[in-house]
Amino acid sequence: MTAILEAISIWSIPVLVACVSLYAIIKKVPVYSVFTEGAKDGFSTAVMIIPYLTAMLCGIGMFRASGCMDFVTDLLSPITGLIGCPGEVIPMMIMRSFSGGAAEGLMVDLLDQFGTQSQIGRIVSVGLGSTETTFYIVAVYFGSVGVSKTRHSIAAGLLGDLASFLAAVIIVNLMWF
């Protein structure tokens, strides 16, 4: 089974690119000019989202530098301990809603410190894979298309993140500990 999954992971992208290119050629689509037009549009979109991305990253830096992250971690540790979630996991849980890169950095630190086969290592691995960067999506994607009223998007995204982390804690504790 592992060999089949490995073959699929190696060949899936090249086969997909070849199939799409072949289909475009059959339909007489000018592949190169369409590709370069899309790249040009992508570049202009990237330039347009820079202010939103900068504001979000600045906010994350202030949140961490102010000591607020440590305060929230200390506040939530007794509560998360009741469900079998170590307090060391909380900063990554919080940061995941803001920035995938920052959350991955925190996860790497935890994996280096506690190991990949530890309870903490497994919880952060499952949690990172099952959650989304809610505030990043709102800041960058909504900002790039001019959406200013997010309605229930943030609340729904954060509730989804919370449910995913709770499920990660419960599943890891049931399966391995």
Side-chain angles (χ1 to χ4, degrees):
M1 185 65 167
T2 304
I4 293 170
L5 291 175
E6 187 173 320
I8 289 171
S9 70
I10 290 171
W11 287 101
S12 60
I13 300 295
V15 168
L16 181 65
V17 169
C19 289
V20 168
S21 300
L22 184 62
Y23 182 75
I25 291 168
I26 291 170
K27 291 291 188 174
K28 298 191 186 329
V29 174
V31 176
Y32 183 75
S33 62
V34 170
F35 176 79
T36 55
E37 187 66 31
K40 187 173 99 178
D41 291 344
F43 184 74
S44 65
T45 301
V47 169
M48 190 170 54
I49 67 173
I50 287 174
Y52 302 102
L53 187 58
T54 303
M56 187 198 62
L57 292 174
C58 183
I60 290 169
M62 290 188 314
F63 180 71
R64 292 185 76 188
S66 70
C68 192
M69 175 73 84
D70 296 331
F71 175 75
V72 172
T73 300
D74 292 342
L75 189 69
L76 293 177
S77 287
I79 298 167
T80 59
L82 296 174
I83 60 166
C85 179
E88 293 86 357
V89 173
I90 295 171
M92 203 226 44
M93 289 176 157
I94 293 169
M95 198 51 64
R96 178 62 174 157
S97 294
F98 293 95
S99 168
E104 288 173 13
L106 290 170
M107 182 182 79
V108 167
D109 290 343
L110 290 171
L111 293 177
D112 285 343
Q113 186 176 358
F114 296 100
T116 57
Q117 301 300 314
S118 66
Q119 178 192 29
I120 291 172
R122 288 182 169 140
I123 289 172
V124 295
S125 297
V126 173
L128 188 77
S130 62
T131 56
E132 190 52 73
T133 53
T134 303
F135 290 107
Y136 178 85
I137 288 171
V138 170
V140 174
Y141 298 148
F142 284 18
S144 69
V145 294
V147 174
S148 59
K149 295 183 180 177
T150 60
R151 294 186 39 128
H152 306 294
S153 301
I154 295 174
L158 291 176
L159 284 174
D161 290 343
L162 178 62
S164 295
F165 269 115
L166 290 174
V169 169
I170 292 167
I171 291 168
V172 166
N173 284 328
L174 286 175
M175 289 184 69
W176 286 288
F177 297 99

